[in-house]
Amino acid sequence: MAESIRTFSLQWRILSLIIALLVYFPILSGSYFKPFNVSYDHRALIIAGKRRMLVSAGIHYPRATPEMWSDLIAKSKEGGADVVQTYVFWNGHEPVKGQYNFEGRYDLVKFVKLIGSSGLYLHLRIGPYVCAEWNFGGFPVWLRDIPGIEFRTDNEPFKKEMQKFVTKIVDLMREAKLFCWQGGPIIMLQIENEYGDVEKSYGQKGKDYVKWAASMALGLGAGVPWVMCKQTDAPENIIDACNGYYCDGFKPNSRTKPVLWTEDWDGWYTKWGGSLPHRPAEDLAFAVARFYQRGGSFQNYYMYFGGTNFGRTSGGPFYITSYDYDAPLDEYGLRSEPKWGHLKDLHAAIKLCEPALVAADAPQYRKLGSKQEAHIYHGDGETGGKVCAAFLANIDEHKSAHVKFNGQSYTLPPWSVSILPDCRHVAFNTAKVGAQTSVKTVESARPSLGSMSILQKVVRQDNVSYISKSWMALKEPIGIWGENNFTFQGLLEHLNVTKDRSDYLWHKTRISVSEDDISFWKKNGPNSTVSIDSMRDVLRVFVNKQLAGSIVGHWVKAVQPVRFIQGNNDLLLLTQTVGLQNYGAFLEKDGAGFRGKAKLTGFKNGDLDLSKSSWTYQVGLKGEADKIYTVEHNEKAEWSTLETDASPSIFMWYKTYFDPPAGTDPVVLNLESMGRGQAWVNGQHIGRYWNIISQKDGCDRTCDYRGAYNSDKCTTNCGKPTQTRYHVPRSWLKPSSNLLVLFEETGGNPFKISVKTVTAGILCGQVSESHYPPLRKWSTPDYINGTMSINSVAPEVHLHCEDGHVISSIEFASYGTPRGSCDGFSIGKCHASNSLSIVSEVKLYCLQHWQLIQSYEGI
Ligand SMILES: *[C@@H]1O[C@H](CO)[C@@H](O)[C@H](O)[C@H]1NC(C)=O
Ligand SMILES: *[C@@H]1O[C@H](CO)[C@@H](O)[C@H](O)[C@H]1NC(C)=O
Ligand SMILES: *[C@@H]1O[C@H](CO)[C@@H](O)[C@H](O)[C@H]1NC(C)=O
Ligand SMILES: *[C@@H]1O[C@H](CO)[C@@H](O)[C@H](O)[C@H]1NC(C)=O
Ligand SMILES: *[C@@H]1O[C@H](CO)[C@@H](O)[C@H](O)[C@H]1NC(C)=O
């Protein structure tokens, strides 16, 4: 144990804080690159005449604020991305037919310029169908109302609108000089999206539509390659690309096309009532390494930053407000460790291989064992001399393997890839996480030489305090509330009436109950039932303004017992949407509200057909129409003081003013004390909230990175509320007196709402002999006859805090065989008693110096 060398490097992040300040003020004019062309061959995209191996970071601009964009782009670049990828969100850009919106979170030109000024490229996926767990898959709801329209098929009205919008976007980019041949960052576009999934539903018209979409796109003269993802019949001039958890072995439909992975699902989305998915960093790195190993050349993380479904932008039905996605950058833009750091190391290793990866037309395959294989890339380097890079994979889900390659022995952990940028030395193994926040790795059969773990705590400004002691309340009227109501004989389709201007649609009818009915009920049970064949997403039934019950579901049968009094009764049905359908064929026909028969049962003279009744309709809530959530209009409403002991009540508006927490850390509201509704801060809609408990089962299995991932594999949060924290972007906050307004549907306690900041509270790292030397030692590869000369160096552990934080104390350090994870470590059988004091000295030294690399020998 004594002979092993340990090197620690603790970096204080002042340096990166200064860098971050610089990137906040990018120059937003002029061109960003010397104009260059993009083409491709079977091996890769060819950028300015050179094949490139590219890593791309998926970031959807409206899921963050413009004030967050620079930081997200900078962190993508720091994490090793060459490209940013985004969809274009049609319903955000054309909310009303012919009226465009490119402001605020929809300022696409600004977003693209920021990418250009950071030196990254852009893959712009125009769609305009995007799926994306986004409301209606990105389609504007007005599109449904165009006579004769059928979406995503050979249909003239649809094609006309699609072409108009795609042309609008391409022209906008060209006018702003954002294509690469103009010196801008755009290197690639996308038309349609995962159409192959639904194409069969449209028969021949679907096939014709694919051809039309391709030639329409190519006809726009954008001058960069176009992609269709999941499109096995993509025409010759369009690259078909892969989406999935794994895309190694994917073959495009022509030998002239490169292997692109447009969506690497590094996590998954969540539904209200669902548990939270996590994809282990080791498995994700394995998938990515396998992709480049087997001939891939462009890989995009879907998502690199997921962000937030602000307002009513989340798709559905029932997708939650957070779109964290378990991405390398979390919902707030903070690094999610160890995923972010592990991928950064992976990208650095792939970059070291790039000269060899682009030099070879195809890898050489070598079988190393029953479940072990090598792919070797060699050829002539650009600057002369031979280059060679190899990937050694062990796809065995259970066991480590010892393999021989080029006369050397290598140990490969299960389900892992070792990357050898010089065909000799291992720069990285996907199962060995050297990034901070350690997770247990399955070690090889080599005798353990001990490992060192350190755990550090960061100063938290995470004061749990209730947001306000003083609240105002206002009752939302139950039922028809205003002038713009109308009456119609029959039940109308929900979206046909609301046009999605609100989640809510009131339906009111009058039910007269005779003395005979009452005596009938006295004999047979005192109730009647509202029965509807099929409904979505939420239905609330009121009789005489009293809530009888609520039904939640996606095209489920609704059966709600109701009680009437003799004489006239008001029957009120409130239908609500919780995110419009974003996936599947025939979206224009999906709609919302009711389908099938609607009746009232249990009457003496038989059932009453509600679809023939006369109904009065009202779209939305009075408070929504009066905009009482805005700074301008909230004072006009007749708010009254809420007593601290007020019992929870349904259909209430609440408001208060609050001061935000100091500092720059992301701010969240904890809404666990509330029921269900929507919330606004200074008039900005922060999203729908719902204190719904996640499924009880499914989280019990321990998360093993080994073996194929699926979204049910490593979930957490079972039995707890699906989402309690709601992001309030800093830029929406003023230094004091911020207006918070909530509309509460089911009853909650606003006095218990708290405001918090989010930061990485505990950092930990682990190194052992099994970890590889830090990649920066490789940063100037010296290729000599196909091998790279490196000095043998010991592994290091790096810990760093988010900007603006310092390491405040060291909680745990053990050189030996410590147990546990970042949640808590304990000393193992072997432990050097002076570990903590030595590490603490390093920390003190670190606080006085910006950077320190100190070797400790023979602890
Ligand atoms: C419904 O609309 C009519 C016609 O505009 C209006 O006279 C009536 O007052 C409205 N009802 C309510 C409850 O406001
Ligand atoms: C919605 O309205 C359109 C006319 O605008 C009509 O063709 C369609 O049938 C309606 N949908 C339903 C389900 O009522
Ligand atoms: C009345 O409602 C109750 C509970 O909602 C139900 O159990 C009962 O069967 C109903 N009675 C009749 C006659 O429908
Ligand atoms: C958090 O609480 C501490 C001590 O209770 C106080 O000194 C500090 O100012 C508070 N910070 C914020 C942001 O409220
Ligand atoms: C590289 O190869 C040449 C010719 O095969 C040989 O003479 C030279 O010594 C080699 N250099 C190194 C550093 O191995």
Side-chain angles (χ1 to χ4, degrees), residues 456-462 665 757-763 801-802 804-809:
Q456 309 218 350
K457 213 169 212 153
V458 175
V459 176
R460 290 179 87 110
Q461 294 176 338
D462 192 356
D665 288 335
T757 57
V758 181
T759 185
I762 298 171
L763 305 175
C801 316
E802 288 291 338
H805 292 276
V806 294
I807 292 167
S808 62
S809 70

Side-chain angles (χ1 to χ4, degrees), residues 698-775:
C699 297
D700 39 349
R701 276 157 291 168
T702 52
C703 179
D704 188 339
Y705 80 89
R706 297 175 297 177
Y709 178 76
N710 64 66
S711 60
D712 294 330
K713 191 172 165 187
C714 290
T715 63
T716 59
N717 207 48
C718 291
K720 295 182 189 147
T722 305
Q723 183 174 359
T724 55
R725 287 182 294 199
Y726 295 83
H727 185 204
V728 184
R730 278 275 177 191
S731 59
W732 290 354
L733 292 166
K734 302 180 289 178
S736 64
S737 299
N738 294 281
L739 173 68
L740 168 62
V741 175
L742 301 110
F743 173 64
E744 171 58 51
E745 293 171 16
T746 62
N749 182 359
F751 290 102
K752 291 257 168 82
I753 293 174
S754 57
V755 60
K756 292 183 179 187
T757 57
V758 181
T759 185
I762 298 171
L763 305 175
C764 41
Q766 183 169 333
V767 278
S768 69
E769 273 73 15
S770 70
H771 290 98
Y772 295 104
L775 285 154

Side-chain angles (χ1 to χ4, degrees), residues 635-651:
E635 303 281 1
K636 289 180 199 150
E638 289 178 12
W639 298 93
S640 54
T641 303
L642 181 68
E643 300 300 327
T644 47
D645 56 357
S647 50
S649 103
I650 67 165
F651 283 66

Side-chain angles (χ1 to χ4, degrees), residues 220-442:
L220 297 175
V224 295
W226 287 82
V227 164
M228 281 183 166
C229 58
K230 284 194 172 183
Q231 194 68 53
T232 50
D233 61 349
E236 188 54 37
N237 293 329
I238 303 262
I239 307 169
D240 58 320
C242 184
N243 292 352
Y245 292 117
Y246 304 90
C247 280
D248 59 289
F250 171 77
K251 294 224 177 355
N253 63 9
S254 153
R255 280 165 190 249
T256 62
K257 300 177 187 178
V259 180
L260 313 185
W261 189 358
T262 30
E263 292 186 16
D264 175 355
W265 301 332
D266 51 17
W268 204 242
Y269 53 87
T270 304
K271 283 190 171 194
W272 295 112
S275 52
L276 303 179
H278 299 285
R279 184 170 186 190
E282 297 93 325
D283 170 63
L284 178 58
F286 172 76
V288 173
R290 288 288 287 160
F291 177 72
Y292 291 99
Q293 170 168 16
R294 299 184 64 193
S297 61
F298 171 101
Q299 179 266 149
N300 171 70
Y301 293 100
Y302 189 100
M303 303 297 302
Y304 196 76
F305 162 83
T308 309
N309 295 311
F310 295 114
R312 302 191 305 111
T313 61
S314 78
F318 298 120
Y319 298 148
I320 68 172
T321 294
S322 167
Y323 198 63
D324 181 90
Y325 217 87
D326 197 33
L329 296 177
D330 71 10
E331 179 178 359
Y332 319 106
L334 303 176
R335 295 172 188 84
S336 182
E337 299 288 15
K339 201 175 249 188
W340 185 87
H342 192 50
L343 295 176
K344 179 184 179 186
D345 292 348
L346 166 68
H347 303 150
I350 291 168
K351 273 276 124 49
L352 291 172
C353 300
E354 191 175 8
L357 291 178
V358 300
D361 271 340
Q364 228 176 51
Y365 174 82
R366 205 173 297 164
K367 201 170 167 67
L368 302 175
S370 64
K371 289 183 173 171
Q372 293 78 35
E373 61 184 22
H375 288 76
I376 306 124
Y377 292 84
H378 52 76
D380 296 322
E382 228 173 77
T383 52
K386 298 279 180 200
V387 286
C388 184
F391 294 75
L392 312 185
N394 177 16
I395 56 174
D396 191 316
E397 296 178 19
H398 306 289
K399 289 194 265 344
S400 308
H402 307 279
V403 296
K404 279 243 181 323
F405 175 73
N406 279 355
Q408 306 252 350
S409 298
Y410 298 88
T411 300
L412 304 173
W415 200 252
S416 81
V417 177
S418 280
I419 299 179
L420 286 58
D422 60 355
C423 284
R424 266 176 83 84
H425 298 91
V426 179
F428 182 85
N429 175 279
T430 57
K432 293 177 179 176
V433 179
Q436 70 181 31
T437 310
S438 85
V439 293
K440 242 174 151 180
T441 58
V442 183

